[in-house]
Amino acid sequence: MPAAPQHPEPLQSGAEVLLRALKDQGVEVVFGYPGGAVLPIYDAIFNQNAIRHILVRHEQAAVHAAEGYARSTGKVGVVLVTSGPGATNAVTGLLDALMDSVPVVCLTGQVPTHLIGNDAFQEADTTGITRPATKHNYLVKRSEDLARVVHEAFYIARSGRPGPVVIDLPKDILIGKAAYAGPVDTHRSYRPRTEPDPAQIARAVALLKGAKRPVIYTGGGVVNAGPDAAAALTRFVRMTGFPCTNTLMGLGAFPASDPQFLGMLGMHGTYEANLAMHGADVLLAIGARFDDRVTGRLNAFCPDARKIHIDIDPSSINKTVPVDVAVIGDAGRAIAALTAAWEADATEPDRAALAAWWRQIDLWRQKQSLRYIQDTAPSAVIKPQYAIRRLWELTQAQAKDVFITTEVGQHQMWAAQHFGFERPNRWMTSGGLGTMGYGLPAAMGVQIAHPEALVIDIAGEASILMNIQEMGTLAQYRLPVKVFILNNQYMGMIRQWQELLHGSRYSESYSNALPDFVKLAESFHATGLRAENYGQLDDVIGRMLASDRAVIADIAVDPKENCFPMIPSGAAHNEMILGVEGEGEARGITDEGLVLV
Amino acid sequence: MPGPDNNHLRSATISVLVDNESGVLARVIGLFSGRGYNIDSLTVAPVDDARGRSRINVVTSGTEMVIEQIKAQLDRLVPVHRVADLTREGPHIAREMALVKVLGTGEKRVEALRIAETFRARVVDTTTESFVFELTGATEKLDAFIDLMHPLGLAEVSRTGVAALARGIRTI
């Protein structure tokens, strides 16, 4: 028996223990929505000042807000929802966080333990429902486990490959007395590996030194590894002189303005990035998972490349693409090890071959695959790409730090293509799950974390309606989030696929009966602006950026514009459809491709 | 091309040492169903009460790439301590037990008993018109016995699924 402590602390209620554990984890903000099962927690929140509660309007938005908070700070985002519908509403956000490796801890209320399994009011099998939507989940059945579970949950959420963790809290556990225990950073069975194997690093460097046509392809893992990892990546890329491309999730890890940057790769990536992938002889993938949106047709993916894959998650290695060298570890530490090994190795890289490779890449660049044609008559219709370009250019003049979130669809891809990200953690988008309605609540979370920053949700008129209720949250907390709607009156990406793949049969993709977004903004105590044509665009963007309030800027853009370049589903990197001149040529689409989404 | 052969299917007996906590089996089963992996057999029981650990034995099949993926996905589950691919890591023993009920009278009944003796099956329950045999061995041996019982009045089978250990001094 361990000796009893000299001055045993008086036991607190479970809810108080929970809040103390959150405080000890450094939690400053919780995004939540009350309900019967979590009333004891709300009571404890009422009686303290250390943790701020942000009242959202829908539980899904609470999770996206926590994601925005987490991705813009590197901290764990925290969510508090009630049992039953509170928990089920959060599921989309949880899966979004799982797919994009975002650290979130979600506290869900639960009916008291003696009612579990009785179909009680607002009961749901939350651990059952969220099991495949979380990195891990807990149902706390004993008060004495509460503090330990909370600390474990934070450790699991932020370490290794980050992800969401649910803690299901029966009401009697929150009311009953519980002992407190401090944070721990160990776990009896969960031990993520972060240090790369030097032997594998040496093999990687040997391949890289011998490369004639190398490409460095990096993803969200570099962003998750922290700003130091992105800085290390930038140094490594410049040191090697190799071209670098980023995934959608990885944008900002390498400066977009750098001449060695090829732009984003994949389905809507640049011509030069995708053709470089196709022609590469050595591929270095860091913190990227060979997603189907990146690879295109697998049996034609990087056909000539020896592949090196650095990832913290062993299950990402050889999942879809077999690789030659696998390095398990934290992206930042692996890049540091690569840099050290590269410098220690006396072998000279093949500079002549590399110069020839860059000449080839420059030829591909001359295609100007992101080109679009904007008519500059004042009454001309606004091209969506131009709207993003102007937004980017005009935000550059701002002294403020700029954070961009997006919804999902064409506007998201145009934002990824045309907004230049120079630093990590400034770009929040739903990549893996593709959750429409992500951008507004995510922007809310970013603005809470960075009150002085300029936070813009680049949206489409369809997506924005999926969590439009959060305009109320913006009003309540005076969050000056800017919502920049590219309004083409269609679910644009759906419309584009229907045009290219389904004979222009625009089944149910027209955004019928849209609200007046200006009046909608005003009804939520925000500013509403609208640009109808080229001549009005700069003025609207300028007024939006100058406002210290929440703004919805409704930008009427060309309803028929398609997002190019595009690798059609089931096609290879070298079978891209280009924009301006290649419009409508959907080469390479097979029946198998049509099945893919 | 480097990397594992992606066409040849193989069977794998995988043992997983887990914390004996609620929901752990659901995590493992959910992983298999959610990702479309096969389960040919699955057993689970506590093996270390002092440390609260259970052992799950899964027999699965797939290409080398899929089996490697299954192991990595299992290893990623938080309550998992260790994943061992017994088929790949060296010689191992795999056994299961079956209870087999055979109904019949006369010559068929005698024949069933004779075959049972050949297989070293034990009679654990009997009436004048039924036997319940208990048989332990490799999966193939149990399959063969059950096949032979079909024409002899096979009525019901209950099998445990595979328990497996590495041969020699290796442990999980």
Side-chain angles (χ1 to χ4, degrees):
Chain A
M1 274 289 286
Q6 299 263 313
H7 302 288
E9 294 181 42
L11 292 179
Q12 295 175 296
S13 74
E16 288 166 330
V17 164
L18 171 69
L19 284 186
R20 183 172 168 195
L22 294 183
K23 187 164 166 274
D24 283 355
Q25 286 292 337
V27 175
E28 292 167 353
V29 183
V30 172
F31 300 91
Y33 201 103
V38 285
L39 281 175
I41 304 177
Y42 277 85
D43 212 31
I45 287 174
F46 190 80
N47 287 319
Q48 55 86 52
N49 289 315
I51 294 170
R52 185 178 178 204
H53 180 273
I54 302 296
L55 176 66
V56 297
R57 276 22 179 196
H58 188 288
E59 289 89 350
Q60 181 194 351
V63 187
H64 294 325
E67 288 184 272
Y69 180 91
R71 290 177 60 177
S72 65
T73 60
K75 297 184 201 165
V76 178
V78 184
V79 178
L80 169 56
V81 298
T82 194
S83 62
T88 56
N89 276 347
V91 169
T92 300
L94 292 169
L95 188 56
D96 191 274
L98 183 70
M99 296 280 271
D100 286 344
S101 310
V102 185
V104 167
V105 168
C106 178
L107 311 164
T108 57
Q110 183 54 279
V111 301
T113 46
H114 70 272
L115 284 180
I116 289 178
N118 275 301
D119 300 320
F121 177 65
Q122 291 196 330
E123 181 184 356
D125 174 10
T126 300
T127 48
I129 290 169
T130 61
R131 197 172 292 125
T134 53
K135 182 173 177 184
H136 193 52
N137 62 16
Y138 295 91
L139 169 61
V140 181
K141 287 181 177 165
R142 304 183 308 174
S143 298
E144 61 263 38
D145 293 338
L146 180 58
R148 173 186 59 82
V149 164
V150 174
H151 295 311
E152 264 186 35
F154 275 83
Y155 173 60
I156 290 168
R158 71 168 176 265
S159 62
R161 179 174 176 180
V165 179
V166 160
I167 310 175
D168 202 23
L169 298 159
K171 196 171 183 182
D172 54 324
I173 299 293
L174 296 171
I175 293 170
K177 301 289 183 196
Y180 186 70
V184 284
D185 260 5
T186 56
H187 190 278
R188 60 205 172 279
S189 56
Y190 168 77
R191 288 178 292 267
R193 186 161 153 206
T194 54
E195 280 305 325
D197 176 357
Q200 296 300 96
I201 291 285
R203 290 184 60 204
V205 167
L207 269 184
L208 291 167
K209 284 267 169 127
K212 294 180 187 305
R213 302 183 310 280
V215 174
I216 298 174
Y217 141 60
T218 81
V222 178
V223 179
N224 272 339
D228 290 349
L233 172 71
T234 306
R235 277 197 302 277
F236 182 74
V237 173
R238 287 176 181 159
M239 187 177 82
T240 56
F242 291 176
C244 179
T245 177
N246 290 162
T247 68
L248 179 71
M249 301 304 296
L251 292 174
F254 188 74
S257 60
D258 193 289
Q260 284 171 253
F261 187 54
L262 303 183
M264 183 174 76
L265 82 166
M267 183 173 271
H268 293 289
T270 65
Y271 190 70
E272 54 270 31
N274 286 330
L275 280 234
M277 292 290 282
H278 196 78
D281 73 336
V282 174
L283 177 68
L284 171 61
I286 310 176
R289 60 184 179 88
F290 296 89
D291 175 79
D292 55 272
R293 281 293 185 274
V294 157
T295 61
R297 182 152 49 87
L298 270 177
N299 61 10
F301 173 73
C302 293
D304 303 322
R306 309 261 292 183
K307 302 176 188 77
I308 304 159
H309 189 185
I310 299 174
D311 206 289
I312 199 159
D313 178 2
S315 79
S316 283
I317 308 281
N318 293 332
K319 185 165 73 173
T320 53
V321 173
V323 295
D324 302 87
V325 179
V327 182
I328 314 283
D330 172 78
R333 293 182 201 193
I335 295 166
L338 271 183
T339 306
W342 174 282
E343 283 173 333
D345 184 320
T347 317
E348 271 301 306
D350 189 342
R351 293 288 167 201
L354 195 58
W357 180 226
W358 273 112
R359 281 195 296 279
Q360 173 62 64
I361 289 170
D362 286 337
L363 285 177
W364 289 328
R365 275 177 167 163
Q366 283 170 22
K367 280 271 187 190
Q368 296 182 292
S369 60
L370 300 182
R371 195 156 57 95
Y372 55 92
I373 296 167
Q374 173 66 57
D375 181 348
T376 53
S379 63
V381 64
I382 300 165
K383 288 288 183 183
Q385 302 94 323
Y386 177 74
I388 304 270
R389 277 271 153 193
R390 284 310 285 161
L391 180 68
W392 174 57
E393 286 160 7
L394 293 169
T395 52
Q396 295 311 291
Q398 298 272 314
K400 291 177 176 175
D401 206 353
V402 181
F403 293 80
I404 300 292
T405 71
T406 74
E407 311 289 333
V408 168
Q410 283 182 324
H411 67 274
Q412 176 191 29
M413 293 298 112
W414 282 317
Q417 291 173 338
H418 295 277
F419 202 101
F421 294 95
E422 297 295 307
R423 285 188 290 165
N425 306 99
R426 302 301 190 281
W427 163 246
M428 270 57 58
T429 194
S430 173
L433 194 61
T435 310
M436 293 170 73
Y438 170 88
L440 178 55
M444 215 160 77
V446 175
Q447 190 82 73
I448 291 283
H450 308 273
E452 303 304 321
L454 178 60
V455 184
I456 306 171
D457 171 26
I458 298 178
E461 84 291 336
S463 280
I464 191 64
L465 290 177
M466 284 215 185
N467 266 322
I468 194 70
Q469 77 286 344
E470 296 309 316
M471 291 301 295
T473 311
L474 297 187
Q476 179 177 347
Y477 298 97
R478 294 189 165 76
L479 301 174
V481 166
K482 318 300 183 215
V483 181
F484 190 74
I485 301 176
L486 298 182
N487 186 342
N488 59 4
Q489 303 166 56
Y490 279 99
M491 297 159 210
M493 196 59 93
I494 301 296
R495 196 207 61 78
Q496 174 168 345
W497 281 49
Q498 288 173 333
E499 180 188 319
L500 296 176
L501 305 169
H502 296 275
S504 299
R505 291 179 293 279
Y506 299 132
S507 180
E508 302 293 325
S509 55
Y510 182 63
S511 292
N512 226 320
L514 281 173
D516 177 332
F517 283 107
V518 174
K519 286 184 180 157
L520 186 148
E522 286 165 358
S523 75
F524 276 109
H525 320 287
T527 302
L529 304 168
R530 180 166 164 87
E532 306 260 354
N533 54 43
Y534 175 82
Q536 296 168 349
L537 180 64
D538 273 15
D539 178 56
V540 164
I541 294 175
R543 282 158 62 199
M544 177 182 90
L545 297 181
S547 173
D548 58 1
R549 304 171 58 193
V551 177
I552 292 181
D554 182 21
I555 313 296
V557 298
D558 186 348
K560 292 291 171 66
E561 188 69 14
N562 284 334
C563 183
F564 290 119
M566 177 180 181
I567 301 175
S569 45
H573 279 168
N574 61 344
E575 296 168 338
M576 305 186 78
I577 311 174
L578 287 170
V580 177
E581 63 267 23
E583 181 118 22
E585 278 182 53
R587 287 172 296 152
I589 299 176
T590 59
D591 283 351
E592 294 85 53
L594 208 56
V595 174
L596 302 171
V597 287
Chain B
M1 266 301 283
D5 179 356
N6 205 23
N7 295 313
H8 176 70
L9 289 178
R10 77 161 169 109
S11 174
T13 301
I14 297 171
S15 285
V16 191
L17 201 60
V18 299
D19 269 337
N20 187 11
E21 61 182 40
S22 79
V24 66
L25 185 60
R27 285 181 211 286
V28 170
I29 293 171
L31 173 66
F32 276 77
S33 63
R35 294 187 181 266
Y37 307 140
N38 301 315
I39 298 181
D40 297 328
S41 159
L42 183 135
T43 61
V44 54
V47 290
D48 184 347
D49 280 338
R51 287 193 290 178
R53 291 190 186 170
S54 290
R55 181 177 179 123
I56 298 173
N57 301 292
V58 194
V59 180
T60 183
S61 58
T63 63
E64 193 60 43
M65 208 160 154
V66 165
I67 286 169
E68 288 305 312
Q69 185 61 205
I70 290 172
K71 284 150 60 180
Q73 292 288 353
L74 283 169
D75 209 22
R76 204 159 76 123
L77 297 176
V78 167
V80 167
H81 285 270
R82 166 110 169 90
V83 177
D85 180 353
L86 296 177
T87 310
R88 187 45 46 102
E89 289 176 14
H92 69 283
I93 310 152
R95 292 287 182 271
E96 62 175 314
M97 197 261 274
L99 296 172
V100 180
K101 184 175 286 184
V102 179
L103 305 184
T105 53
E107 192 49 41
K108 283 189 173 176
R109 183 174 151 82
V110 175
E111 181 63 14
L113 191 59
R114 199 159 26 224
I115 293 173
E117 281 167 9
T118 318
F119 274 79
R120 280 186 263 172
R122 288 173 51 207
V123 176
V124 289
D125 179 73
T126 183
T127 68
T128 53
E129 51 202 335
S130 73
F131 284 121
V132 174
F133 298 113
E134 178 197 304
L135 177 64
T136 305
T139 297
E140 299 72 32
K141 176 180 163 185
L142 269 57
D143 290 345
F145 180 74
I146 290 163
D147 276 351
L148 288 171
M149 288 300 120
H150 261 291
L152 302 177
L154 180 73
E156 195 174 351
V157 178
S158 181
R159 291 171 73 152
T160 57
V162 169
L165 283 181
R167 287 186 184 272
I169 59 170
R170 280 186 305 119
T171 58
I172 191 165

